Amino acid sequence: MRAYLKQQRGYGKAEALLYFKHPHRFNRLGHSRWLGRIYNDLGPGILASRPVVYGGPFGRALFQTLYEAPASLFRYLPLTLEWNAAALILIVLGVVSQGSGFPLTSFLLAGLALAGISAGEAATMALRADVRGLPPLRSRALIALLSHLGPLVRAVERNFHHFDKLSNSRLATLSPSELMPEFDAWRRSILLSYWNETGVEKESCIDALVDFLRPRQVVIVLDDGWKPWDFSIHRGV
């Protein structure tokens, strides 16, 4: 178990480092998007659709392929840190409020429901595992426990290194500029325009900016060809 959890911590750190280089590979919660396929895995879980076999028109396809159902965020939510934190907070609020004049019984029930779904997801994965030749009860209980703890440990490590990376960038000391930026509160943007008569291309300016910022440990995400900007700077938590 110690080796497995240590491995999950390593995965979390790696995901935090990859996030700033390939942000399009991660969803809004910072979880990596899995786009591959693992044969003979632990099953889709209780909140996912079943895979579908494509047989072709009238069942005449020469090669009938098993198509996995699209992976949705809701499928993975019960095993995320955010889901379990919400369940814990609701349970604590519900238990603490029982001694007051305004018991929050619905909070307690909602927290228990979230925790139950999370435990059920881990149990479902354990029931689908092949434990032939092993003590079935102990093996499945261990698999369920590790299936539940693994994503939590990985998420804690990922968030720690994510915030650590954002907070380590240093401020740059610049000379005062005569140019006044234009602020657009509605678009949440600041516009600063430059003009020169020497024919310097945009790429040269971008390279100079990137070379200036990288030694100061500023997190930079370059355009992958599909963004409406050239590069994005992550500054602070």
Side-chain angles (χ1 to χ4, degrees):
M1 289 184 62
R2 187 180 296 109
Y4 171 78
L5 295 178
K6 182 179 179 180
Q7 181 192 51
Q8 296 304 305
R9 291 184 59 189
Y11 287 162
K13 180 179 180 181
E15 288 178 353
L17 296 176
L18 285 172
Y19 173 81
F20 298 106
K21 293 185 177 181
H22 309 284
H24 60 287
R25 298 293 185 183
F26 295 82
N27 59 29
R28 294 182 181 275
L29 294 179
H31 300 260
S32 59
R33 299 178 184 271
W34 173 247
L35 303 177
R37 176 180 295 183
I38 298 179
Y39 297 96
N40 192 27
D41 62 355
L42 296 180
I46 60 177
L47 297 179
S49 303
R50 297 287 181 180
V52 179
V53 176
Y54 175 73
F58 310 109
R60 292 298 186 91
L62 295 178
F63 303 99
Q64 297 184 355
T65 305
L66 179 68
Y67 285 85
E68 297 289 343
S72 63
L73 178 61
F74 190 66
R75 169 181 173 180
Y76 301 103
L77 272 178
L79 296 179
T80 60
L81 178 64
E82 294 80 5
W83 180 289
N84 286 268
L88 180 61
I89 292 173
L90 290 174
I91 291 175
V92 171
L93 289 176
V95 171
V96 172
S97 66
Q98 297 302 313
S100 64
F102 302 95
L104 301 176
T105 306
S106 58
F107 281 30
L108 178 60
L109 295 178
L112 292 175
L114 292 179
I117 294 175
S118 181
E121 185 76 8
T124 302
M125 298 173 68
L127 290 174
R128 296 178 183 273
D130 184 3
V131 295
R132 286 176 294 183
L134 300 172
L137 184 60
R138 289 181 55 190
S139 300
R140 295 191 190 279
L142 179 61
I143 293 173
L145 178 62
L146 295 181
S147 298
H148 191 266
L149 289 180
L152 300 183
V153 172
R154 189 164 66 248
V156 170
E157 197 73 11
R158 179 177 61 247
N159 290 331
F160 173 79
H161 287 281
H162 184 95
F163 293 141
D164 181 65
K165 182 70 173 177
L166 288 176
S167 60
N168 279 340
S169 57
R170 296 192 296 268
L171 289 174
T173 302
L174 301 175
S175 59
S177 174
E178 297 179 357
L179 297 175
M180 294 299 296
E182 299 178 14
F183 295 93
D184 190 337
W186 178 256
R187 297 178 181 273
R188 296 169 56 226
S189 65
I190 301 173
L191 177 64
L192 192 61
S193 301
Y194 294 89
W195 179 261
N196 71 86
E197 300 290 344
T198 59
V200 177
E201 297 292 339
K202 180 180 70 172
E203 289 76 9
S204 301
C205 297
I206 294 175
D207 290 340
L209 279 173
V210 171
D211 292 340
F212 174 80
L213 293 172
R214 283 205 188 280
R216 291 164 175 80
Q217 298 182 357
V218 176
V219 178
I220 300 174
V221 178
L222 297 176
D223 172 31
D224 57 359
W226 298 95
K227 299 294 188 299
W229 37 260
D230 298 303
F231 69 90
S232 175
I233 298 175
H234 292 249
R235 177 77 187 114
V237 175

